[in-house]
Amino acid sequence: MITLLQLGAELGTEFFPASTGTFRAQPVSGVHVSELEDPTTYLDGGELLLTTGMPFAASEEASRAYMRRLQDKKVCALGLGLGPWLRTVPEHVIAACDAAGIELGIVPDQVPFQNISRAYWRLASRDQASNLMGSLGTQTALARAAVRPDAINAVVRGLAEAVNGWAAYLSVDSRPAACYPASAEAFLGELRHESMRFRRNGMPSASTFEVQGHEVALYPILSGTTIHGYLGVAAGRRPTKADRQIIMTACTLLSLRARQRELAASTNNALSSATAKLLLHGQPEAARLVGEEAGLGRIPVRVRILLCRAGADTDAATALHALPSLARPAALPDVAAAVRECQLHYEDGAEHYLILPEPADSSGNGEAVAPQAATATGPMACGRFDSPAPEVHAVLSQPLNLAEIPANLPALRQTLDAVPFGTMACGAPGFDASAETWVKALAAYARADLLSAVTSYLRHRGHWEEASRELGIHRNSLRHRITVAQELLGANLDDPDAAASLWLALRRAQK
């Protein structure tokens, strides 16, 4: 904004105060020339009005009435051009200006009013260029901040400093708020209240309101039509056009960041679903490769399958949200934490398969995957379901090795058919079904004849010498093959239940 002081300094002897000293540093919104008795119809307020004094200088009463009209319109200053009409400034004109609080400047004879206008626009051009460069510099700094690991905090801080005020970002999920400076935390409660009103009314537009004496603008941060958060800004001065551009740049950068998180979550969910599908179809090695690429960590050796099914009027998010609150037998473990942290989820129509890690100490030969932090963008972001129970039922399997999963799915589906809505049942162990899968896995192993090794080992009840003699190999070679077989199956061949089930499956396969 150009000030009267700047204009006087730019023009020097071509425009100077009527009284001694210098002009005040008050903003000038424009320069207007008029000889009308009442020019206010053509004024917006804040202008420097240039005139030769013809409408008012003839009398004291006319001068006071003229200045009162300018005062009511909030005219910044009056520039009186000397020349044929006035050779000097009448004292009653100076007095009328003082009474109205209007600063009086003198334009000497032979100085065109056009010089004053040109000087104003010359200064305005410089000011706009300076503001543009400053705005571009700030926007560049915000863009750099947006690619930092702490992007949201960095953008909020840069914005607050740029507008000489404070700023805060509220995410719609469980992420903590970001604000700068720290004193802005005092306003977060009221900002959340306003943002919740936005969410209830479905309003995607900006809003301005007062918070503890601060004028705050609240902007929704969108990705498409989805609101990811809200940016609250309180400038420490009257916002300029450059300030508004900076604020919109910050909103755009936060929207891009939200879109990146959305795409990353979507990609992660797709890879998680692919990993789970591979496990459900008996491809654990391929699942491990995909899981590593997805950053899921190491897939556990022993798992439980949580199979749930939703009614026709229940969407997937509601079904998953309701799982921890389903009625279940006392023998079943509480799955709330496991469901929240679940990384392996596959959806097949109305059926959802959640592959939950079984802790290592529950079986002695399992290995639990390190829990991942739950995120609100993932499908497992759920808590206790406090509203009326939706049409959801589920069945939780016994602990299974990865090779056992496919063979146990038919029994789980059959069990689920008999489970009423609002209930979670326990799936019976399917050793026979699992053993059929084990036999296929042993037969498919290409590096050694594991099928014959396991068959002979079980036939001779674990006696190494007799089994190795029957196979015609050294007992150390047999030990190695049995170790490989147990790792492949995730089963202990010295466990009577597993050994008996596998032996019967081997006998059936030989017929």
Side-chain angles (χ1 to χ4, degrees):
M1 182 69 73
I2 307 306
T3 67
L4 196 61
L5 177 62
Q6 288 176 292
L7 193 57
E10 179 77 9
L11 288 162
T13 59
E14 292 187 334
F15 181 61
F16 52 86
S19 58
T20 58
T22 58
F23 288 115
R24 297 194 302 270
Q26 54 182 323
V28 179
S29 64
V31 177
H32 187 78
V33 181
S34 178
E35 299 297 345
L36 295 174
E37 184 178 343
D38 183 8
T40 56
T41 304
Y42 303 96
L43 301 174
D44 292 325
E47 295 93 346
L48 165 63
L49 178 63
L50 301 177
T51 178
T52 60
M54 292 176 61
F56 59 86
S59 71
E60 182 176 346
E61 182 180 350
S63 294
R64 287 199 300 268
Y66 186 86
M67 299 309 167
R68 281 197 295 270
R69 288 192 290 273
L70 299 189
Q71 181 185 25
D72 291 342
K73 197 63 176 181
K74 294 181 173 55
V75 170
C76 168
L78 181 70
L80 185 60
L82 302 181
W85 180 252
L86 290 174
R87 293 293 180 181
T88 60
V89 184
E91 288 296 328
H92 64 80
V93 172
I94 296 175
C97 285
D98 290 341
I102 295 175
E103 194 153 6
L104 179 61
I106 305 301
V107 182
D109 191 13
Q110 303 300 315
V111 175
F113 282 168
Q114 194 175 41
N115 287 12
I116 314 301
S117 296
R118 285 173 176 170
Y120 175 83
W121 290 112
R122 192 163 56 244
L123 288 170
S125 178
R126 294 177 197 163
D127 184 62
Q128 288 177 355
S130 176
N131 287 340
L132 177 61
M133 294 306 296
S135 174
L136 288 175
T138 301
Q139 292 180 60
T140 300
L142 289 175
R144 289 173 178 166
V147 299
R148 290 172 47 176
D150 59 338
I152 293 179
N153 287 320
V155 170
V156 167
R157 176 172 182 165
L159 176 60
E161 292 175 341
V163 300
N164 194 30
W166 60 264
Y169 177 75
L170 304 174
S171 178
V172 297
D173 55 31
S174 58
R175 292 183 179 89
C179 63
Y180 187 86
S183 58
E185 291 184 7
F187 310 117
L188 294 182
E190 293 182 60
L191 284 181
R192 285 195 180 93
H193 175 75
E194 287 294 325
S195 69
M196 290 301 296
R197 185 172 65 85
F198 263 39
R199 295 181 70 182
R200 286 194 299 269
N201 296 338
M203 298 190 307
S205 59
S207 174
T208 304
F209 49 90
E210 187 174 295
V211 174
Q212 300 179 29
H214 295 252
E215 186 176 292
V216 179
L218 191 66
Y219 301 86
I221 303 302
L222 302 168
S223 174
T225 58
T226 302
I227 298 178
H228 287 264
Y230 296 91
L231 177 66
V233 186
R237 56 175 180 267
R238 183 177 180 180
T240 64
K241 182 178 180 181
D243 289 336
R244 288 189 286 272
Q245 289 175 338
I246 291 169
I247 292 172
M248 295 314 298
T249 296
C251 289
T252 301
L253 291 172
L254 291 174
S255 293
L256 289 173
R257 190 72 177 184
R259 179 58 177 163
Q260 289 173 349
R261 288 198 306 269
E262 190 177 64
L263 289 174
S266 176
T267 300
N268 185 69
N269 290 340
L271 290 172
S272 299
S273 177
T275 304
K277 186 175 182 179
L278 287 169
L279 290 174
L280 294 173
H281 285 77
Q283 301 293 330
E285 292 304 320
R288 286 191 176 95
L289 291 175
V290 175
E292 288 176 2
E293 290 296 322
L296 299 179
R298 193 170 182 181
I299 295 177
V301 174
R302 287 176 65 79
V303 298
R304 288 180 185 258
I305 306 300
L306 177 56
L307 171 60
C308 75
R309 189 181 296 148
D313 297 328
T314 304
D315 58 57
T318 302
L320 296 173
H321 186 79
L323 284 176
S325 293
L326 297 180
R328 66 180 189 275
L332 280 184
D334 184 358
V335 297
V339 168
R340 266 197 315 272
E341 297 166 0
C342 179
Q343 299 292 297
L344 300 172
H345 165 235
Y346 176 66
E347 181 179 350
D348 184 11
E351 293 183 345
H352 297 266
Y353 297 84
L354 280 64
I355 302 178
L356 310 179
E358 179 69 8
D361 57 7
S362 67
S363 63
N365 61 353
E367 183 176 354
V369 67
Q372 305 289 328
T375 61
T377 55
M380 299 301 103
C382 60
R384 298 297 294 176
F385 192 82
D386 298 321
S387 57
E391 291 188 339
V392 180
H393 54 167
V395 59
L396 181 66
S397 76
Q398 294 291 324
L400 301 172
N401 301 311
L402 298 184
E404 299 174 338
I405 294 176
N408 280 270
L409 296 181
L412 289 176
R413 296 189 193 101
Q414 186 176 4
T415 301
L416 183 60
D417 291 338
V419 176
F421 282 129
T423 304
M424 181 185 299
C426 178
F431 279 115
D432 290 342
S434 298
E436 300 290 344
T437 304
W438 292 349
V439 172
K440 294 178 182 178
L442 293 172
Y445 191 80
R447 297 182 184 178
D449 187 1
L450 296 186
L451 188 64
S452 298
V454 170
T455 302
S456 182
Y457 180 77
L458 294 178
R459 179 184 294 115
H460 294 285
R461 298 181 177 83
H463 294 290
W464 300 105
E465 292 290 347
E466 296 177 16
S468 61
R469 188 181 304 113
E470 179 181 79
L471 295 169
I473 60 175
H474 196 277
R475 65 174 180 275
N476 289 340
S477 297
L478 177 61
R479 288 181 186 274
H480 175 70
R481 293 183 187 182
I482 296 301
T483 299
V484 171
Q486 291 184 131
E487 290 177 353
L488 177 66
L489 304 179
N492 183 359
L493 297 183
D494 292 327
D495 179 353
D497 290 330
S501 185
L502 178 55
W503 174 250
L504 292 175
L506 290 168
R507 292 290 300 274
R508 288 194 294 271
Q510 293 172 355
K511 293 180 180 179

